[in-house]
Amino acid sequence: MHKICLVDDNMTNLTLARDILKTSYKVYPAPSAAKFFEIIENIRPDLILMDVDMPQMSGYEAVQILKNDERFANIPVIFLTAKTDEESELKGFKLGAVDYITKPFHQSIVKARIATHLTIVEQRRIIEKISLTDPLTQIPNRRFFDSEMAKEWKRAIRDGLSIGLMMIDADYFKKFNDEHGHQQGDAALQTLATVISSSIKRGTDFAARWGGEEFAVLLPNTGDDGISKVAENIRLNVEKTAVPCVDDPSQGLNITVSLGCASIKPSDADSIEDFVKKADSALYTAKQKGRNRFYLFK
């Protein structure tokens, strides 16, 4: 069920709107903007219905704060108001509202407008997912990785946490392609993506295709010992997994990977670019030392 946050200081209106929606949606009522901001910290609603006229903080002020927070800026907001003048509506739209519903509520109108905007939300999510997914391997792409890295980097600085990064490269991949063909090479990359993704256990960890035959793994709240254990686990899992032959899936081909690892407890003086360079340098060292191994940047 889609999640809707309903904000109105009038308990009659709050109850009425909740009763209209609760059979179709998961509704989170809030009797004030302050309570709304408490709720939204723990849930990520799909849609927000926000009363305009509230004491302490108006709906306009609440939405302005909301739109300045990157975590919640893209959640659509529909204003609830008794105002019907053009100036009020224009102000709301300029602040980022997607629609207005006037009081008193008409049940069919409320449901229709909510359904329309939730459809748009789903369509946007599908488009976003496509744009952030590597089409060959079906794991996150470089764009998604960069976005998540920026978020985790900020969080690590804020909370004083370590962050681990792993760059992974398929060994002798050009030779593999030349000997077995590009279609088989694609199968190898798909197999590597599956093995790497399944080798990381925590929900906060994720793997992405960096480009070509290279992958990246981000491990939040992870230091040298943790990233070393994960790297060796990935290396072993790849080594013992056969890439199915395109012409005969019952047959398999072997491939290995080299891994460059780095961890840091970042500060404002550090940069993501330098951190990535350290992991890249470690990857180069792993290759120089014979491949099919990981190396931790020192």
Side-chain angles (χ1 to χ4, degrees):
M1 295 177 74
H2 284 106
K3 294 179 290 186
I4 295 178
C5 207
L6 178 60
V7 192
D8 198 320
D9 67 306
N10 185 302
M11 292 307 298
T12 301
N13 289 333
L14 195 67
T15 302
L16 177 60
R18 183 194 62 196
D19 290 345
I20 291 172
L21 302 173
K22 67 182 182 180
T23 57
S24 302
Y25 308 106
K26 200 166 186 177
V27 182
Y28 297 85
S32 67
K35 187 63 177 177
F36 160 71
F37 282 112
E38 288 180 20
I39 291 173
I40 202 170
E41 284 291 333
N42 298 314
I43 66 165
R44 186 65 62 91
D46 301 294
L47 183 69
I48 298 165
L49 301 181
M50 176 80 70
D51 185 27
V52 170
D53 295 312
M54 293 184 291
Q56 283 83 51
M57 184 186 296
S58 71
Y60 292 140
E61 292 170 320
V63 168
Q64 196 163 21
I65 294 171
L66 192 75
K67 295 300 179 182
N68 286 328
D69 191 323
E70 63 178 15
R71 297 173 298 169
F72 312 123
N74 292 326
I75 301 173
V77 177
I78 297 177
F79 275 128
L80 307 173
T81 181
K83 296 179 179 180
T84 57
D85 61 286
E86 182 179 336
E87 184 178 346
S88 295
E89 287 197 26
L90 183 60
K91 181 178 180 178
F93 285 127
K94 284 184 176 180
L95 287 171
V98 297
D99 207 347
Y100 262 79
I101 295 177
T102 56
K103 302 174 183 179
F105 299 127
H106 296 283
Q107 183 170 328
S108 59
I109 297 297
V110 171
K111 287 185 173 182
R113 289 190 171 178
I114 288 175
T116 295
H117 288 292
L118 287 176
T119 298
I120 294 170
V121 167
E122 289 303 317
Q123 291 171 341
R124 187 177 72 237
R125 286 175 177 170
I126 291 170
I127 293 170
E128 187 176 67
K129 183 178 180 181
I130 292 171
S131 71
L132 297 175
T133 302
D134 176 61
L136 175 64
T137 62
Q138 293 300 302
I139 66 171
N141 61 17
R142 172 73 179 274
R143 181 185 169 199
F144 181 84
F145 178 90
D146 289 344
S147 174
E148 290 301 302
M149 169 62 96
K151 293 177 187 175
E152 291 297 340
W153 187 264
K154 289 179 182 177
R155 187 167 75 93
I157 292 175
R158 183 185 68 236
D159 298 339
L161 301 173
S162 295
I163 187 169
L165 174 63
M166 197 183 305
M167 304 302 293
I168 305 172
D169 197 58
D171 292 332
Y172 304 111
F173 190 70
K174 184 180 183 304
K175 181 181 179 182
F176 186 95
N177 263 340
D178 290 343
E179 290 182 0
H180 305 290
H182 290 284
Q183 191 176 5
Q184 188 64 61
D186 287 348
L189 294 177
Q190 291 168 337
T191 300
L192 287 178
T194 299
V195 173
I196 292 169
S197 298
S198 63
S199 298
I200 52 180
K201 306 300 182 183
R202 301 180 306 175
T204 54
D205 303 339
F206 79 92
R209 187 180 180 193
W210 187 260
E213 67 271 23
E214 196 167 4
F215 298 85
V217 173
L218 185 63
L219 302 170
N221 196 17
T222 304
D224 286 355
D225 289 344
I227 197 171
S228 296
K229 289 177 182 177
V230 176
E232 180 61 8
N233 187 44
I234 290 174
R235 188 197 68 79
L236 285 171
N237 287 342
V238 170
E239 187 178 50
K240 67 184 182 183
T241 301
V243 178
C245 290
V246 173
D247 297 329
D248 183 1
S250 66
Q251 301 296 315
L253 298 169
N254 294 323
I255 194 167
T256 61
V257 292
S258 299
L259 308 94
C261 307
S263 72
I264 189 175
K265 187 178 286 187
S267 68
D268 290 329
D270 299 306
S271 73
I272 293 175
E273 291 75 15
D274 287 341
F275 184 46
V276 172
K277 286 179 181 177
K278 289 178 180 179
D280 266 332
S281 174
L283 175 60
Y284 178 79
T285 301
K287 291 180 179 180
Q288 290 296 103
K289 288 181 173 291
R291 304 180 191 251
N292 189 23
R293 68 191 62 221
F294 79 89
Y295 185 80
L296 180 65
F297 183 86
K298 300 172 183 176

